[in-house]
Amino acid sequence: MALYESEHTKFMREWMEKHPEESREQQKGRALWWDKPPQALDTMKEAEAARVPNKAYYYDAN
């Protein structure tokens, strides 16, 4: 453990000890915003086929 622990960290540790149900809520939130299900192989192939390559100089109008 580190030598220094901020007031916020201490508060969060105590809060999580008193409210263990919040851990499940954290997991639900993470699953909603960050955990993405794997895509099907055919969907990935379609996306790759539809991809348009970037120009060498992005701002060139020609």
Side-chain angles (χ1 to χ4, degrees):
M1 181 171 267
L3 297 176
Y4 171 76
E5 190 170 69
S6 71
E7 293 295 321
H8 182 265
T9 303
K10 290 177 186 176
F11 170 77
M12 290 306 297
R13 285 189 200 281
E14 291 173 9
W15 172 263
M16 292 304 282
E17 287 175 5
K18 293 177 184 174
H19 302 92
E21 70 278 358
E22 290 299 320
S23 178
R24 287 187 294 275
E25 289 298 317
Q26 273 186 329
Q27 290 173 354
K28 286 182 192 175
R30 178 179 174 186
L32 178 66
W33 291 104
W34 296 106
D35 296 341
K36 304 295 180 196
Q39 293 184 350
L41 186 58
D42 55 339
T43 305
M44 291 171 52
K45 286 181 181 178
E46 288 176 10
E48 184 62 32
R51 187 170 174 247
V52 178
N54 292 343
K55 294 181 181 180
Y57 183 68
Y58 185 78
Y59 297 104
D60 188 10
N62 297 326

